[in-house]
Amino acid sequence: MDDIFLSCRLRTIIEYEGDSEYDGDSEYEGDSEYDGDSEYEGDSEYEGGSEYEGDSEYEGDSEYEGDSEYEGDSEYEGDSEYEGDSEYKGDSEYKGDNKYDGDSEYDGDTAWKINKEYKYSVTGRTLTALHQVSNQYAGILIKATLSLRLRSPNSLIAKISKPQYASIHTKLPGWSAPIPDRETHWNQLPLSEKPWEIKLKDGLIDGMTVSRTVPNWEVNILKGIASQLQVNTQGKHLTNRTWNQKPSQSAGSPNEVYRVMEDTVTGECEVLYDVSPLPAYVLQSQPELAPLFNLGDKEQIIDVVKSQNFSKCDQRLDFQFGIDGISDFKHVGENKAGNFLSRSAVSRTVLTGSLKEYVIQSSVATNKVILSPMFYNEQKGMIFSRLNLTLVSWSSAFGSPPSVSDPRKEDDLTYSYESSENNAYQKEWEKEDSLLELSLESGRPISSKINPVEAVRKIASEIGSELQYPDAIPKENTLAKFTILTRLVQVMSAKQLKEAGRSLYTPSSKPSSSRASNTWKAFRDAVGEAGTGPALVTLKEWIMSKKVRGEDAAELVSSLPRAALTPTPEYLNEFFPHELRCAAVFLIMKAQPPADMLQRMAELTNEDPHPQVNAAVKSAIESAANLQGPWTLPLALNAKAAVHLLNPENYGSQYTRSSLRSYASDKLNLGFEQQVDHIGSDDHIVPRALLFNVRRRLGGVNDPYMSFGAMTSSVDDLLDVLLNQIGENEYSDQLRHLYSEENQDSENPDSSWNLNKIGSELNIKTLMVEQLEGNILFQLAASERFFAFDNHTIEAIPSSKYEFKWSIKVDIHLLLIRVSCRLCLSMETKAVTVGFPNVMGLPFLFTFNTPTLLQIGGEARIRTHPDLAQGSGSSIPIPGVVNASADVHFVYSTKIEGQIGFVTPFDHRQYVAAVDKNTQLNLPISASVDVDIENAKIQATFSPINSERDYQIFHCSSKPYTTKHDIINLKPHNQDSDYHKIHVLKEPRQQQAIFGANSTGMAFRLNYKNEKEFNSTSWIVEEAKKQDPLVLLYFPWADDTIQYSNVSLTYDARRSSTKAVKFTVAFGSSAMVVDVSAEFQGHEKAYFIATAAVASSPVDEKARALFFFSHQPPSSSEKPLQAYLVAESKNPQVSWMDFNKAIREDPKSSFNAQLNLKEWNETDSQIVVNWNRVTNVAGSSSTPQWLSICESQMNEGNYGLPACRNVSIEANYRDRLEFSVHYENLPTDLKNWTYKAYQIARYLGYNYMGENIFASHNLKEKVAFEGNLNPSLRAINVTIKSPIGDAEFIDVPLSPYVVPLLPVHPTMGSLERLSPVLFSDQLYPYCVVGKSAANTFDNKTYPIQLGKCWHVMMKYAPKYMPEESSEKIDPSVDVVVMTRDNSSSSQKDLKIVTGDDVVELTPSGGSTKMGLEVKVNERPLEISSSNLTEIYNPNGDIWLQIFELASGSISLTYPLHGIYLIYDGKTITLKANHTYRGEVRGLCGTFTGEPVSDFKTPNNCIMKQPELFVASYALTHESCQGPAPEYKKRAQEANCTNDDVKPWGSQYSGQSQVSSSSESSESSENSVEDQSKSCSVLANKVFDEGNMICISVRPQPACASDCSPSKMQEKNVPVHCLSPGSAANHMIKQVKKGARLNLARKGVSKSLRSSLPVQCVRD
């Protein structure tokens, strides 16, 4: 009934408070102390077999009977210290009618009376366990006697006597279950038993005074005991709450609820008081609640229940390290920290008397910490602590209470942390060091218990030895030893570290895999992970003295920010590209922007002309709207409010994008947030900046898992520079910038179509190449790196002479690092430690550590022919033959250990309940590789380093356990004598298997032990559907249960008949042929051989493939296996430029294959596949709108424009698939596996399927499939017919990325069909010129009127180097495509110029179906649809491939130049490689992905009128008839505007005058401007310094040619100087032409004094 009464009281409080901290999952719900087996129910210590009943300490021969201290000559009787000349005798103020006698004010207002002695029994227990896994507990019990006497109104003298403790490690039915004395062994608790003073103020405890000799840990235990006496019945220090009020002092039964601030050993926090009368029947059944109260007495029995609110504290005593500030909680010591930790502290005090005058009969405090040992587990662990004071005597006392000798004052009851005396940073690290030295006595350094230098040497040496044999790392617990080593380093002084380092240091000249070297590296990395001041000083000394250098030093320095134990400034680990607007979008999305901001951003996508910014905003908001998980819900809702305001245009992946993704597990307390951002390039399909960032959520703790960023100023320039370093690569774009004299001489200057003449007439003003710059930033587990580079960095690579004759001794340094908040996948360095005191004054400690080892050691030798060491140094030549051999031992080992426990400093013990997970990959490989590049052959042989011994290749285990650990012992937990594993089952499931011995001759032994239940296939599939697939990547070992498991894979040398495997790969030269073989070598041999060949031709509608496979096992008992496959496909050519032709064509695609399987002396198993794809014209998905546009364009004579091209392609989609499989003599196992695959498909698609097991057809050994795409191409219908029945899947939805792949097109590959979805047709963009309209690469359509005048469709216009001319391009890479109207205005002539070669196509005079004529260098060329004509250049490379399509059009491909054309006499379609992006000019636009800049003329002006833009690319030096000459003249006179796109809202008007262009970049300053309308202009100033030519770094004020300065001013002008020569002359020429040069990146040589005009007037 008392429990019901208590529940009602609590419910009243909760309802009264509304949304207080007791709502939801507060400490009063779930498995709190008020539920289940709480201290108020069942077998609590006050009931049943409690410690007060039976043979407890209070019965029989207990300490309270016989000659106990409570009888006879007790310490307060006879000649005790309280008699004699004490201050309370004689004429003291306490005699006579002093204020303490009678009804004095003091007597009526306190729990303590003068001349009275109170004796309390003190009992307590603290236990730790994984209580939801097993009932195995470890912990301590304590008992003692507390004596109290009032010394003065503000002083209470206390004394502890007969303190004892018992250590337990056993199974209990519950945390509060009684423990029989026969299972306990009581020891003396080493308390000093000296008197100590409790300070009182207004009846409350206000502090303590203890002797200076009392150690700090004892003071904390005394504070825990004193905290039980802290009872605030008067409502002092009320907290500021609207309903809070002082308790009533009326004489009636007290019923009060109020909150006060109160200090106890667990902190100074808000405490909820619930005061109520205790019913008499409760006391009758539980007399231990008030043992000295008689039921007949008239005094009231008052029940005071206190609950501590750790979320509101003035002094919070929790310590946390390794948890950042972006988690779901502010402080880990609150009542709830995310989902991984909850904490409660409730005490119950029983008083007799009134609220003003009372006696404390008993007081019990219960403290629980429940948390997930791995952060995410549903199964929890617990620390339970209870301290009980029960009044056993209350008698008169005589004499004076003792005084405290050598007193030391404690200002309050809160737990005090102790500083280490050997740490120079005591104040900053006070809490941290005390948690690390909890086992030490007060004020004594660690050297008082152990010699830290010797201990470090010993542990490091053990680690060094064990690393010699990686197989034993999990068994020897090597990584746990590294954690101990790091902890030991953390409490050492700089002097001690220096001494240890002096003895352990091993020079780098010693063998890297030796024991001494490994010992030094273990110690070195432990110092790097320590994060203390002395460790930092030591690291600095090592780096300065060159003991640590290079990459090792960088690794250690990078660990400092995350390892520092004191708070450090937060490092910005995000990546900032210089495209600030796009970067701003990425950062805004991380800041949880409100809905109105996102709506404004969305609206601006309809106004902003910059597609990169629009694409960034759109992708970010759309992906944010689909976020999942409670922590991203606000952002998702805000994004959904803005998503419908976005620009409806679809931007391809080549534009800037921001992709947000999140996931929260329904079952586990884990999830992740992923952000992938990239900024698109204007010169390549590859983005110029990429950022990838993942944050994991583990039980509410935010964990920065990994991040990567990379950027470059130009992707195209970066590839050019890289390729230029590798031999003489003709594909390198750098060659396009090299114009040699030989190339000039090779051109025919008299040719009408000389490339130089075309370039001179157009006079295209291209941009100067900027300095190539870039950087790479990554943070992956332990490593954080930032690399910056430029073109000089890359160009210096070949000059670093590599010695390829040498023997490379590889030793990627031993990386031992401590990791926390991580599962067994990554190398991390973040440690998590959580600590706070419990009610007994003992420190609770939770640690989560993952020590990780990455070791790569060995020796490698490389030889090349020709010898690369003899290279010129300007490039790295590609060798013809490479021979390499290596012995490499790769070891990756990691341990995850989550420990829940507490420390007893008096005996250096740590009581722990923990989960220990180990994962190791051990690969000892001896390899030799021979690469024959000339003959396209690779051979590689692999074997174990020692093939005669066993190697444990893989190990993974999980071991929950409890232990009593001696901290001073410095051993891993599994070496404790009291280490107990936790088993859920009595016997784990075990399995051992040997595999590989029969098939390959190499035997591997698999050992498996696990306690987890195996689940059905349907459960696995259902779980897979629920989870994001990335969970397997980010949480590979996450498990919802805690259980024992042990899995290992071992190479078994004894059972292995083969000792090495030799792989051979050869490539054929004529057709696409690949031969692969694997030979297992030993006294018995095994073979695997496979050959594949594919042949196809663009002029043949058929393609063929062959495949052969053979397996010869090592043992004659195993049957050999052979398989061969013959396949043929047919894809007829169709028209995809003319919709009228495409709609009339109905070709049928087919695929036929036959697979034969044969085991030796067995009948062949045969599978025959027939596959037909049929076009369903009636189901065309083309919308009437597109069809209407296409018909209109075709009526105007314009074919191949986007509308017609799209509907033509769709008309030829094969949207029906017929697929049949015939089989004979298939093994039963293969049939069963096939049916299981069908079962999974049926389970996944149960919403869409139906079955008919009574089908009327009679299929025997045949399965038929039919698939039909619905008209929208968004779903598919699949029918399966088999001998056992039919199945049908109706309207199965398809991903937009799958849709383009299913309706196979006869002339378009998979990537080409995906291009519209992924890249908005920008992966393979087309430029089309028709009769009266053209369409650019960037999909801008405009009208044209060419006349009989050659116009440039596309000309290669690369950036130029400062020392070169923009007009001169290497002819070997230059290309010009031109067109004009034929004599018939509906037809077009085509001319392609590459170097000295000219290909001309005209619509008549030829022998093709359409009469098209082809001339190569003025000589006719015969072509046909049945033969592919290939023309080679002098180097033997294919220069041109040309043939006739089935439609009569002509296909031309220039492999070296990367262009492809289709010509039918009326329409020209041009496709260019993406390496041309941003480096072409002509009617096809600029190919930058931004249509706004397509109308750019040769002199960089943006035309508004299409006819002026078209005429600017007319070649009028030859015969030119038509409107071009007039329009070209008007274009030259028109106002020139550039493409400097301004952001929306910045007075953007669609275009800007060049004359007003800023000097922000070289790109915008190299344009020729029309400055005739202004007197004041900007121009670079040239200084002739004799032996140097100096040019101002930036343009300076100047006067136009027809103006003069009216006012001058002296100024220092920064200049860049260079020697006289071609480069200087070129720059001077550019300045004279009006170009503005920004030379800041080239560097400032000096400053020169010059007079500059302030004002100019016209002459």
Side-chain angles (χ1 to χ4, degrees), residues 810 857-861 885-889 924-927 943-945:
V810 181
E859 186 171 303
R861 292 178 177 84
S885 62
D887 290 337
V888 178
H889 201 158
I925 298 174
S926 178
S943 66
I945 291 178

Side-chain angles (χ1 to χ4, degrees), residues 751-765:
S751 172
S752 300
W753 302 114
N754 180 283
L755 287 171
N756 277 340
K757 289 183 178 180
I758 297 174
S760 297
E761 180 173 353
L762 291 178
N763 194 23
I764 297 176
K765 304 299 181 184

Side-chain angles (χ1 to χ4, degrees), residues 802-811 857-863 884-888:
Y802 288 84
E803 295 293 337
F804 284 93
K805 283 182 173 181
W806 37 244
S807 166
I808 312 174
K809 293 197 174 179
V810 181
D811 177 26
E859 186 171 303
R861 292 178 177 84
I862 301 176
R863 292 182 177 86
S885 62
D887 290 337
V888 178

